[in-house]
Amino acid sequence: MNMYEEKKSLLLEMIAFSTVDGHLHKKEYEFLFLIANQLNIEKGGFNDLFHQELPKLPIKNEFQRIQQFYRLALLMHIDGILHAKEAEAIKQIAIRMGLNPEATKRVLIKMEKAPKAIISSDVLLNIFREERN
C-alpha cells in the first residue's frame, strides 16, 4: 500500500469520527484541514474525502495507532462540546486499533483536565508504557 493511501485512510477515519455526533463543527473542519495540510493532501482532495467511504486499513505500528488515537481525541475536544456518542465512538475505535482500554481512558481523563485538551507526547507515551507493564 502506498503512503498516500495510508494518509488518506487516517484522514477518512478522522472525518468519520468528526461527524459521529450528527454534524461537523467549523472548528472540527479547520482542524481536519490542518491535519490534511500536514499530510500533504491538497484542499480539493481533502474536500473530496467527505464523500468517500472509510476503507478498512489497519495501522500496523503501535506508535502510529497511539498518534491517531490522540488526533481523534483532539478532534473530539476541538469544538468544546463532548458528546456521549463521541466518547463511546472513540473508545470503540481505540479497541479496534488494539490499544489498551485503561491507557486510553487515562489519556482521555488527562486531556479533559488539560488546557485546550493538549498533553505532551511524553505524557501520552508514558501512559501507554505504564499500562503495558
Side-chain angles (χ1 to χ4, degrees):
M1 174 180 320
N2 71 36
M3 190 60 103
Y4 178 78
E5 289 300 316
E6 290 178 21
K7 290 177 181 180
K8 188 172 106 173
S9 176
L10 292 174
L11 202 51
L12 278 168
E13 182 176 36
M14 294 181 75
I15 289 169
F17 181 70
S18 69
T19 58
V20 77
D21 63 356
H23 68 283
L24 179 67
H25 192 277
K26 181 182 176 188
K27 288 184 180 182
E28 290 171 329
Y29 177 86
E30 290 168 352
F31 180 75
L32 290 167
F33 186 64
L34 179 76
I35 298 294
N37 283 333
Q38 289 178 343
L39 296 175
N40 295 320
I41 296 175
E42 296 177 9
K43 187 169 185 171
F46 168 68
N47 286 329
D48 288 343
L49 294 177
F50 285 88
H51 306 289
Q52 295 182 20
E53 289 191 31
L54 180 63
K56 302 294 183 215
L57 302 177
I59 304 170
K60 296 174 184 140
N61 178 302
E62 183 184 25
F63 175 75
Q64 291 173 331
R65 292 191 313 264
I66 292 169
Q67 188 177 33
Q68 180 68 355
F69 168 76
Y70 182 63
R71 285 186 197 121
L72 292 170
L74 284 173
L75 183 59
M76 182 173 74
H77 288 278
I78 200 81
D79 63 359
I81 304 166
L82 290 175
H83 296 278
K85 287 182 180 181
E86 289 174 328
E88 185 56 35
I90 199 164
K91 289 174 189 172
Q92 293 304 314
I93 290 168
I95 290 169
R96 282 196 310 267
M97 287 178 165
L99 295 176
N100 181 299
E102 191 59 33
T104 58
K105 179 181 173 182
R106 286 180 55 201
V107 167
L108 293 172
I109 290 169
K110 192 82 112 167
M111 289 178 75
E112 281 181 37
K113 296 176 182 177
K116 297 188 180 186
I118 296 173
I119 60 174
S120 74
S121 58
D122 289 340
V123 169
L124 176 67
L125 294 175
N126 282 336
I127 290 171
F128 280 93
R129 275 191 213 110
E130 288 170 6
E131 290 300 332
R132 195 179 308 138
N133 294 324

